[in-house]
Amino acid sequence: MSALLQVEGLTKYFGRFAAVDGVSLTLEEGRLTAIIGPNGAGKTTFINLLSGFLVPDKGRVVFRGQDVTRLAPAARVHLGLCRSFQIMTLFPDLTAEENVLLPILARRGRIGRAFAPYKADSEARAEAAEVLRRIGLLAYRDTPARLLSHGDQRLLELGIAVATRPTLCFLDEPTSGMNPQERRAVLDLVRELSASKTTTFVIVEHDMDVVFSLADYIYVLHRGQLLAGDTPDAIRRNPRVREVYLGEEVSA
Ligand code: ADP
Ligand code: MG
């Protein structure tokens, strides 16, 4: 395995409070990594630092050997980094197909052009159809995003993220607010996409059953600091993780 992303001493203050506090870790190519930690541990802040939505006060983020610490989100997307949000980021009035087409057209260098002629781009449309099929929303291609169920909107959001064909993709609680069936659909999709090795996924997830069944590797954040980084089995047995922090949950 080779390091896709290296994080060195990453620190982010909100006022005097260090939400992320000197975190150093490595994300390996092809390794499905979960980041866990209780509410307020700094997970979302950490993902925001990696994806460029926040700039750190200290430390470095190196993606494939390139220092991206101060690069804007769009520039990181261009390099192959992407994220999907804990909150919704769809265009509600655009159809499911149009939402997925936007990143595809952008990748194909068509973002500056009028949106109307997109229907003429049959390759882009075929690619959008394939994304919609994978997320199980092909039947809703002409439905405005706002009319989809909450779970389907989250699936569409994931579709938008993978449509950019990222090298590294961060998913911050992609199943929040979903019913069990929708959750399974999302997690199966992440597993399937991860197995295809095109994209390396980093997932923030609070459901420990999901984390331990999905992840190849787990980092544990606690009060902004890295408590542990190990395989799921070792994390389960890690006394610091069990006692100090996750308690019963990991042994269940
Ligand atoms: P998690 O995603 O693990 O629940 P967050 O990264 O959202 O944690 O938050 C970590 C800590 O930083 C929390 O105490 C939170 O209240 C605080 N925090 C997050 N964002 C901000 C912000 N923009 N301004 C001030 N405090 C923040
Ligand atoms: Mg969060």
Side-chain angles (χ1 to χ4, degrees), residues 220-235:
V220 184
L221 283 182
H222 180 50
R223 294 183 181 159
Q225 298 188 342
L226 188 66
L227 187 72
D230 222 323
T231 59
D233 277 348
I235 289 292

Side-chain angles (χ1 to χ4, degrees), residues 11 24 68 84 105 120-121 136 165 173 191 199 203 227 231 239-240:
T11 300
S24 300
V68 299
S84 124
L105 293 174
D121 192 335
R165 289 204 196 146
E173 305 207 18
R191 195 180 276 118
T199 298
I203 185 168
L227 187 72
T231 59
R240 276 191 82 201

Side-chain angles (χ1 to χ4, degrees), residues 14 17 19 37-46 86 172-173:
F14 293 117
F17 171 73
N39 265 336
K43 306 180 295 295
T44 294
T45 304
F46 185 64
Q86 204 171 350
D172 191 356
E173 305 207 18

